[in-house]
Amino acid sequence: MNDKLRFLKIYKEKIKRPGSEKLLHFLENQSDFFTAPASTRFHGAYKGGLVEHSLQVYDCLCDYLERRRVQDIYELAYSEESIAIVSLLHDLCKCDVYKTEMRNKKIDGVWQQVPTYVFDDPLPYGHGEKSVYMISGYMRLTREEAFAIRYHMGFSSSEPPNQVGKAFEMFPLAFALSTADMEATYFLEQIKKHEEIKDE
């Protein structure tokens, strides 16, 4: 099953909130969500990188929340709908912001023109907060879902550290989502790169 089909399957099975169908219609028909990269040159910097990363974060978040310590000691428990919403949609802000330009790149000692992604945001409303804003145009988020998406960048964001820490303390789902996002970005991306090198 390719990434788009898997995303659609999880979304339709888990997310039933009023407005979710209109949001999904936007993703499929009015945005580049399923073809966009996840970044210009870091993780998922290729066609389809955004939906792939979103699914990886979903898998990592599900795994984190299934850990015995998380359930028995931290007592974190969230609905399947909340888990799907915050993970699958946390980077909605990356829709329609990556353009392709031709750039010179030296390949085997020869300069060649290659397509390169560049960031061009027509609605510069921040990162996590922009995702919350976009989702809220279609369906309501709980307060914890909104804070989780807003602060999913964790301490790697430009936010004051004490503000991030307070959000994590008040809304543990924000910490869980941030952990899943980092795991997907720094571990799964590296594993994929190593596998691609082995296949060459």
Side-chain angles (χ1 to χ4, degrees), residues 22-146:
K22 289 184 178 180
L23 175 53
L24 187 58
H25 181 269
F26 163 76
L27 294 179
E28 284 193 274
N29 302 289
Q30 297 171 282
S31 79
D32 65 356
F33 180 83
F34 292 103
T35 57
S39 69
T40 55
R41 57 191 179 93
F42 299 109
H43 70 98
Y46 41 80
K47 185 177 180 179
L50 178 55
V51 65
E52 179 187 71
H53 171 70
S54 301
L55 287 167
Q56 289 173 341
V57 172
Y58 173 78
D59 290 336
C60 290
L61 181 58
C62 288
D63 180 68
Y64 177 84
L65 293 172
E66 287 172 2
R67 296 172 193 172
R68 182 176 297 177
R69 172 180 291 272
V70 172
Q71 293 182 352
D72 296 346
I73 300 178
Y74 307 154
E75 298 181 341
L76 302 190
Y78 301 98
S79 70
E80 291 185 345
E81 184 175 57
S82 280
I83 293 168
I85 286 172
V86 300
S87 56
L88 295 181
L89 303 176
H90 75 284
D91 269 347
L92 204 62
C93 58
K94 294 183 177 181
C95 288
D96 305 315
V97 299
Y98 295 109
K99 313 300 179 191
T100 304
E101 289 184 358
M102 299 304 290
R103 296 276 180 92
N104 291 323
K105 184 178 180 181
K106 206 169 206 177
I107 303 174
D108 297 327
V110 180
W111 286 101
Q112 298 181 37
Q113 285 262 309
V114 296
T116 305
Y117 285 114
V118 294
F119 185 80
D120 181 19
D121 191 350
L123 185 65
Y125 197 62
H127 187 74
E129 57 268 48
K130 182 179 175 182
S131 291
V132 171
Y133 172 75
M134 292 175 70
I135 296 165
S136 298
Y138 294 92
M139 65 181 186
R140 290 181 64 88
L141 295 170
T142 67
R143 181 168 291 187
E144 184 143 17
E145 290 165 355

Side-chain angles (χ1 to χ4, degrees), residues 8-26:
L8 293 175
K9 183 176 187 296
I10 296 169
Y11 188 105
K12 291 175 181 178
E13 286 180 358
K14 310 293 184 186
I15 305 175
K16 305 293 185 181
R17 197 165 297 177
S20 61
E21 290 183 358
K22 289 184 178 180
L23 175 53
L24 187 58
H25 181 269
F26 163 76

Side-chain angles (χ1 to χ4, degrees), residues 1 153 197:
M1 184 182 299
M153 292 290 289
I197 292 171

